[in-house]
Amino acid sequence: MSKPEASTPRERYRAQVREEIKKHAWDQIATAGASALSLNAIAKRMGMSGPALYRYFSSRDELITALVKDAYRSLADTFRARAEAGADLRDLAHALREWALADPQRYFLVYGTPVPGYRAPDDTTRIASEIMAVILDACAAGQGPDEPASPLEEHLHTHRAWAGQHPAPPSALRRALAFWTRLHGVLSLELAGQFTGMRFDPARLYTAETESVAHL
């Protein structure tokens, strides 16, 4: 999704500086992790004073929120574009892996260990729910209403806040949750280097898990 264009020179300059700040923030995260993010260090890198930078982001948490929103929006737009092109659940799975491998730090910011002391605002959660909605659409495609066929499906049928207002039947809820947990599990281990030295191809494991989820 394209960002709205700033309408005045001052707004365009402000938008440009904010983007530069975010770029330095990603560099800092790649070096020391999100918990070590420092606005003062970024200001020094940019030749600005701390108070001057705080006019663009009032706190560390506001900057983290901007990065988190950008990450979620990037994946939501990727999924939406694939879905509009007719992607099925397998296609979405491969899109998720491509997105994660393209920028592991971006992936870990939203799906890794929470940043100590940081809590994402509600509007960030709404962007994340767009991603799950696309997955639920793919899981429910061509499937009519059904009754819970297992204890897990029965539980999900009555505990579906994570699915928002999506009308997916119980079996689709189960498949979507399996997609989310199992594929993220493989991705997180791969990106963290946990498969290093095990001498197998993580892509093959990921594909096998994708097929398993698709056939649930």
Side-chain angles (χ1 to χ4, degrees), residues 90-103:
R90 294 175 181 84
D91 296 325
L92 292 178
H94 291 301
L96 174 61
R97 186 167 187 271
E98 291 168 6
W99 181 86
L101 292 178
D103 192 339

Side-chain angles (χ1 to χ4, degrees), residues 89-180:
L89 199 61
R90 294 175 181 84
D91 296 325
L92 292 178
H94 291 301
L96 174 61
R97 186 167 187 271
E98 291 168 6
W99 181 86
L101 292 178
D103 192 339
Q105 295 303 326
R106 177 180 59 184
Y107 176 87
F108 280 126
L109 181 64
V110 291
Y111 296 121
T113 304
V115 179
Y118 172 75
R119 185 179 185 280
D122 291 342
D123 59 345
T124 304
T125 305
R126 283 195 292 273
I127 301 173
S129 70
E130 295 179 30
I131 299 168
M132 183 57 71
V134 176
I135 296 170
L136 285 163
D137 286 343
C139 290
Q143 183 178 344
D146 60 22
E147 293 297 322
S150 70
L152 175 58
E153 289 181 11
E154 185 173 342
H155 175 75
L156 294 177
H157 187 53
T158 55
H159 294 76
R160 54 191 301 152
W162 58 274
Q165 301 300 316
H166 200 287
S171 60
L173 293 174
R174 178 192 174 198
R175 188 180 299 119
L177 196 58
F179 177 103
W180 205 236

Side-chain angles (χ1 to χ4, degrees), residues 23-91:
K23 179 182 180 301
H24 284 291
W26 282 120
D27 291 342
Q28 205 175 87
I29 288 172
T31 301
S35 60
L37 193 63
S38 166
L39 269 67
N40 287 330
I42 293 173
K44 186 176 180 180
R45 285 283 303 274
M46 296 177 63
M48 301 171 63
S49 67
L53 188 140
Y54 277 83
R55 291 201 296 267
Y56 297 93
F57 290 99
S58 63
S59 66
R60 180 206 70 155
D61 284 4
E62 184 182 341
L63 176 54
I64 292 176
T65 294
L67 301 177
V68 168
K69 286 182 177 180
D70 284 353
Y72 276 135
R73 174 51 56 202
S74 173
L75 183 56
D77 289 350
T78 296
F79 269 21
R80 184 66 63 189
R82 295 291 182 97
E84 290 174 354
D88 62 11
L89 199 61
R90 294 175 181 84
D91 296 325

